[in-house]
Amino acid sequence: MDMNIESIEKAEIFPLNNPSNNTYSFKQGHGTITFDVAAQAKLLRPSSLRLNGTLKVLTAANALPNNNGLKDNNTNPVTIQLNDRIGVNSVIQNLAINSATTGQTIETVRNYGKMISTLLPSTHSSEDYQSNQSSVSLMTAVQKSSDNLVNNEIKFSIPFYAGVMNSGKALPLGTNGMRGLQFVIELASDQQVLKGADAATGLGASYQLQNVSLSYDLLVPDAAGQEKMMVAGNGAFEYNAYNSLYSVINASDNTQTFNLAASNVLSVFHNFLPTTHSNNYSHDGFANPPLTKGTDYGVRCILDKVNFSRGGLKLGLDYELSVQTQSQENRPPTQVELNALNAVRPFYALNHLINQPLIQGFGAKDLRLYSGRVQELTAVDSVAGGGVDFAGDGVSRNFSIGLALDNVSQEGVSFKGVSYAVRVRSDLDGASPNAVFTYALVKNQLLYSPQGIQVVS
């Protein structure tokens, strides 16, 4: 929809369901935030949209935490923490984007925090985290630094990482378009967002969001453009969206089969988490470890081979990703990790990321840097490299499995009536179920007509 833009308007709106105390809290039963951007003859610039507010983390006694303080005869530090790589983004469990007028679903991302726990470390460097991201999203990629932030009420301003908000296109809000937008945010549980030994004390720590708003830029077209947007006609608008799926892997030779039911699938990636680590104050629900097993999942699995298929035929690659030797020697499974990163962003364009030698060892006797100190990586410590913070201040690995299906034409691969499958061979023992979070980036079409709008995948 080509048109001339005459001006840009700055807008800020407040939730439709604002509680009387202006505070959203999962613990208190205010776990959904809804915003409506009205249908109008303007375009929303998605790169400008921000969710704003104040985050307040509370102990069971409703006091601010003191992560610098000590307890137990001044020997053990207090710990009530956020994930240091996604920060305040972790409060979003599910994100739904709908047409404000018709209610038609534009995109729904479930387990949103787990999705961006792969996206953000794959597209942001340590310097990004420690500068702009620490200021607006309360994430620093260094746990102790992030701990300091939640000792106070602190403001945030975060974008949405849904596919439609990152398609690189302004979103038409008129009759010939999305007919307004509705954003519905379902908040994650306190047990999922917060972690640490003191988070579970008493009735458990909790968080609150206060003074929540949504701000964005509106592009205002000229008179001819406004008429084109508001006089009902026929047309289409393309955008990207993430489809999210959940499954469990427990066998040493496991084939996960999914019905993606989309015509233009651009990429797929999977990340993992022990099933008992979700909604558990004692564990980081947004860590991205490789497959683990054993008592409290304390043993890193040896990854053997990974391959992808479509309708039973090899997909994307004409060979299996064989990484058994690297995995046995505790070296990065390079083929697997490169393809996973390429599924998030074309590998040639990846110039900011966390996957680097600083936080990923190259053998059982390598030295590893942790928050300004050097630790020797032993067999036990290798689990820390897989997603568990070493000695409380380590840096966890950003592990995932994935495949880019079309980074050239951006048309993707059709899975209409054809299944997608990923086969993972490892030494999983059958007694250590690991959750698999799957995200497929697809190209959708929004069709509009005088009768209404329709989304076609």
Side-chain angles (χ1 to χ4, degrees):
M1 189 179 293
D2 296 326
M3 59 187 69
N4 296 320
I5 302 300
E6 284 192 335
S7 62
I8 298 175
E9 294 180 357
K10 303 289 184 180
E12 182 178 19
I13 59 175
F14 300 93
L16 295 179
N17 59 335
N18 209 0
S20 58
N21 62 355
N22 201 29
T23 299
Y24 290 92
S25 167
F26 183 91
K27 183 176 182 178
Q28 296 175 5
H30 300 296
T32 302
I33 309 174
T34 303
F35 295 95
D36 267 8
V37 179
Q40 52 198 296
K42 300 172 185 176
L43 299 97
L44 185 146
R45 184 158 62 186
S47 61
S48 68
L49 186 140
R50 294 293 185 273
L51 175 68
N52 314 296
T54 300
L55 174 71
K56 187 176 182 180
V57 174
L58 296 170
T59 67
N62 287 322
L64 291 170
N66 181 12
N67 284 312
N68 294 315
L70 297 175
K71 61 175 183 177
D72 299 339
N73 297 319
N74 292 329
T75 57
N76 296 320
V78 176
T79 52
I80 298 177
Q81 305 167 311
L82 291 175
N83 177 280
D84 60 298
R85 295 202 185 168
I86 67 172
V88 73
N89 294 286
S90 61
V91 304
I92 303 176
Q93 177 67 22
N94 301 317
L95 174 63
I97 303 175
N98 312 313
S99 166
T101 301
T102 70
Q104 170 71 53
T105 299
I106 306 297
E107 179 177 10
T108 298
V109 182
R110 302 192 180 279
N111 297 305
Y112 176 86
K114 275 296 287 179
M115 181 185 78
I116 65 171
S117 71
T118 290
L119 296 185
L120 294 182
S122 300
T123 54
H124 292 74
S125 66
S126 298
E127 291 78 11
D128 295 331
Y129 274 104
Q130 293 164 19
S131 53
N132 62 311
Q133 291 302 321
S134 65
S135 301
V136 297
S137 303
L138 317 186
M139 53 189 187
T140 66
V142 177
Q143 189 63 67
K144 284 189 173 179
S145 175
S146 292
D147 293 348
N148 289 337
L149 294 176
V150 299
N151 286 338
N152 306 282
E153 296 181 30
I154 189 163
K155 298 183 185 300
F156 63 86
S157 182
I158 56 175
F160 291 142
Y161 295 98
V164 66
M165 305 306 294
N166 290 277
S167 298
K169 299 177 180 179
L171 307 180
L173 299 175
T175 301
N176 292 335
M178 295 178 168
R179 303 192 177 186
L181 284 172
Q182 180 184 75
F183 298 89
V184 181
I185 301 164
E186 296 179 30
L187 297 182
S189 68
D190 301 308
Q191 295 92 329
Q192 178 71 7
V193 174
L194 304 173
K195 61 177 179 174
D198 298 289
T201 302
L203 297 176
S206 62
Y207 71 91
Q208 297 178 352
L209 302 182
Q210 301 174 341
N211 304 315
V212 177
S213 69
L214 197 69
S215 58
Y216 47 88
D217 291 350
L218 292 172
L219 308 181
V220 183
D222 57 20
Q226 292 185 43
E227 182 178 358
K228 186 185 298 185
M229 292 185 71
M230 297 307 291
V231 177
N234 294 284
F237 175 80
E238 285 189 341
Y239 67 94
N240 294 342
Y242 281 104
N243 294 344
S244 43
L245 300 150
Y246 176 89
S247 57
V248 174
I249 183 173
N250 200 13
S252 59
D253 190 344
N254 184 280
T255 300
Q256 299 263 314
T257 303
F258 303 95
N259 178 19
L260 301 182
S263 299
N264 304 91
V265 181
L266 302 174
S267 66
V268 185
F269 69 86
H270 316 263
N271 58 35
F272 307 92
L273 187 73
T275 53
T276 59
H277 289 193
S278 289
N279 291 296
N280 187 336
Y281 283 126
S282 299
H283 297 281
D284 184 354
F286 302 104
N288 287 327
L291 296 172
T292 51
K293 62 181 181 178
T295 304
D296 199 25
Y297 295 89
V299 178
R300 178 179 52 82
C301 292
I302 302 300
L303 185 62
D304 184 5
K305 292 182 174 67
V306 175
N307 64 274
F308 308 89
S309 61
R310 175 182 178 273
L313 301 176
K314 286 184 178 179
L315 173 69
L317 305 171
D318 293 329
Y319 53 89
E320 293 182 315
L321 301 176
S322 181
V323 293
Q324 184 181 50
T325 300
Q326 295 100 308
S327 188
Q328 287 175 334
E329 297 178 359
N330 196 39
R331 293 186 285 117
T334 305
Q335 293 182 65
V336 169
E337 293 198 358
L338 288 185
N339 278 282
L341 289 169
N342 195 41
V344 173
R345 178 176 290 179
F347 190 72
Y348 62 80
L350 282 173
N351 50 14
H352 291 253
L353 68 164
I354 285 291
N355 298 50
Q356 52 178 291
L358 175 68
I359 62 172
Q360 196 162 324
F362 285 90
K365 294 185 178 180
D366 285 344
L367 296 179
R368 205 83 87 73
L369 295 178
Y370 285 92
S371 300
R373 62 196 179 112
V374 177
Q375 296 279 4
E376 184 174 354
L377 184 65
T378 67
V380 175
D381 301 335
S382 65
V383 179
V388 181
D389 286 349
F390 184 129
D393 65 354
V395 186
S396 60
R397 181 171 294 179
N398 177 35
F399 180 81
S400 58
I401 288 173
L403 185 67
L405 301 179
D406 186 359
N407 277 342
V408 179
S409 70
Q410 293 294 306
E411 289 302 316
V413 173
S414 176
F415 286 90
K416 284 285 190 180
V418 184
S419 64
Y420 160 83
V422 55
R423 183 182 180 187
V424 179
R425 279 166 281 182
S426 66
D427 66 347
L428 258 175
D429 55 12
S432 306
N434 282 246
V436 183
F437 298 86
T438 299
Y439 302 93
L441 182 64
V442 304
K443 179 183 287 187
N444 287 344
Q445 265 200 337
L446 185 142
L447 307 178
Y448 55 84
S449 69
Q451 288 72 44
I453 64 175
Q454 178 185 6
V455 172
V456 178
S457 295

